[in-house]
Amino acid sequence: MTLSYCTNVHPAEDLAGVLAQLDRYAVPVREHLGAELGLGLWLSAPVARELAGDAPRRAELRAALDARGLVVRTLNAFPYGGFHQEVVKHRVYHPDWTTSARLEYTLDCAAVLADLLPEGGAGSISTLPLAWRHPWFPADHAAALARLEEAAAGLRALADRTGRVVRLAVEPEPGCVVDDVADAVRLLGGRVDPEFIGLCLDTCHLAVSFADPAGAVRSIDRAGLRVVKVQASAALELIDPIDAATVLGPFAEPRYLHQVRAFARGGVHRADDLPEAFTALPTDGPWRVHFHVPLHADPPAPLRSTTDVLRQAVAAVREVGHTPDVEVETYTWSVLPDGPTADSADELAAGIAAELRWAAKNLEVPA
């Protein structure tokens, strides 16, 4: 396992913006750490298409990374674009895996990553959990599985052509077709090529599902699937949500979707976004909220973060012998109550560096 941080925390919709963010954020993070820095690079679809079709430009990007002491082992290809618009919400799931656009974007990212990988290294690309759960019909499911089969064929052809193995990692997320690990095992086990398609285990999503981390990882292994990537992330937890609207109100922001699950009355109860949860969910059991919070910093009491789920999940992945890329993915810095402002690049770089130090120490994963 090796450690990176995901650059989808930074807005960059063109190649010039990607290069600028390396200097504004990634290089200062590396300087804070005093060592080579791993990146989980996010490229919007137009940037991925531009680079995939231009080998000299890929070589220039690789040279720019090398010169800055930055290493790319994984790409985040979940957001197609516009990830820092004023309102993202359900838009992040489009285009979904029924479409040729999603397939083409993914294979463009793979072509780029093959040229950015360290010598002898394999790479990973995380992607969305097929689609938001509705509308979703049997024909949609068949189409999505067919696209995944095409993706596996494309990744195999890329490996044959370049000698570089790039694997696709489907990321379960609450509210989606692949809502949790149990869905992933049921829907993908035996139906995808496990050499080129596996799972991205986002540990914030895992926590929100209230699944047992070790049991979930073992079920993935038993299904013949591979944990290709771990997104090291933590959710918000409120043990006593009787005053949830007051405590969690500052986190109900308009840009991203914040799914909520309550464990009460013998089961898991669901709300698709935080404002809905305040009136829809029972308050006689704990709530967990899909809001990625910095790994190294405790949220204000009575809130807490689910870093224990992260630790347990990584330990379980290690126990079953999988060796995924580990990517710190706290994309929500800009919408945290009292978080860094858009102008505070130094504060954000210091925060990301602190997260990486925490992850290296607590997960025993080298940077």
Side-chain angles (χ1 to χ4, degrees), residues 12-72:
E13 296 288 334
D14 55 31
L15 187 54
V18 171
L19 294 171
Q21 78 179 1
L22 297 181
D23 288 324
R24 189 175 188 198
Y25 302 106
V27 170
V29 172
R30 180 186 59 73
E31 290 170 348
H32 276 289
L33 296 174
E36 191 176 67
L37 176 65
L39 296 183
L41 201 60
W42 176 65
L43 303 173
S44 69
V47 176
R49 172 52 53 95
E50 176 187 352
L51 288 169
D54 192 334
R57 293 288 274 171
R58 296 197 299 275
E60 289 175 14
L61 177 56
R62 173 64 185 268
L65 292 161
D66 290 346
R68 292 163 173 80
L70 306 173
V71 180
V72 175

Side-chain angles (χ1 to χ4, degrees), residues 245-262:
T246 299
V247 176
L248 286 166
F251 294 88
E253 55 81 31
R255 178 174 296 164
Y256 299 117
L257 199 63
H258 299 296
Q259 303 93 314
V260 187
R261 300 293 181 263

Side-chain angles (χ1 to χ4, degrees), residues 83-303:
F83 195 53
H84 289 266
Q85 292 177 343
E86 288 188 13
V87 178
V88 177
K89 299 289 184 180
H90 292 87
R91 295 176 187 176
V92 75
Y93 308 111
H94 297 283
D96 64 34
W97 267 103
T98 66
T99 67
S100 58
R102 176 58 63 174
L103 172 66
E104 291 162 2
Y105 170 50
T106 304
L107 292 178
D108 285 344
C109 285
V112 176
L113 181 57
D115 277 1
L116 300 183
L117 287 172
E119 292 300 323
S124 61
I125 298 175
S126 48
T127 190
L128 74 162
L130 303 190
W132 187 249
R133 71 182 183 278
H134 57 72
W136 190 254
F137 302 103
D140 297 318
H141 199 72
L145 290 177
R147 297 294 187 197
L148 288 178
E149 187 174 348
E150 290 181 78
L155 295 172
R156 186 177 294 278
L158 179 70
D160 291 342
R161 186 171 68 250
T162 66
R164 302 293 182 87
V165 174
V166 175
R167 296 185 174 95
L168 184 61
V170 177
E171 180 182 331
E173 179 175 321
C176 295
V177 173
V178 184
D179 181 283
D180 57 16
V181 167
D183 280 343
V185 167
R186 177 173 57 86
L187 297 174
L188 301 180
R191 294 178 174 84
V192 296
D193 182 349
E195 180 57 32
F196 289 96
I197 297 181
L199 295 187
C200 172
L201 192 64
D202 183 304
T203 57
C204 171
H205 303 172
L206 181 66
V208 171
S209 75
F210 282 98
D212 168 57
V217 170
R218 288 194 295 268
S219 72
I220 294 167
D221 187 61
R222 286 195 302 269
L225 295 168
R226 183 197 311 246
V227 180
V228 172
K229 181 173 180 175
V230 171
Q231 281 181 332
S233 55
L236 280 172
E237 183 172 52
L238 181 59
I239 296 299
D240 181 4
I242 194 67
D243 197 21
T246 299
V247 176
L248 286 166
F251 294 88
E253 55 81 31
R255 178 174 296 164
Y256 299 117
L257 199 63
H258 299 296
Q259 303 93 314
V260 187
R261 300 293 181 263
F263 190 77
R265 304 170 191 170
V268 177
H269 304 258
R270 307 175 178 214
D272 284 343
D273 206 357
L274 188 50
E276 172 192 337
F278 297 144
T279 56
L281 291 185
T283 57
D284 53 343
W287 287 15
R288 289 179 178 174
V289 184
H290 176 215
F291 195 117
H292 290 215
V293 291
L295 301 180
H296 66 290
D298 292 331
L303 293 169

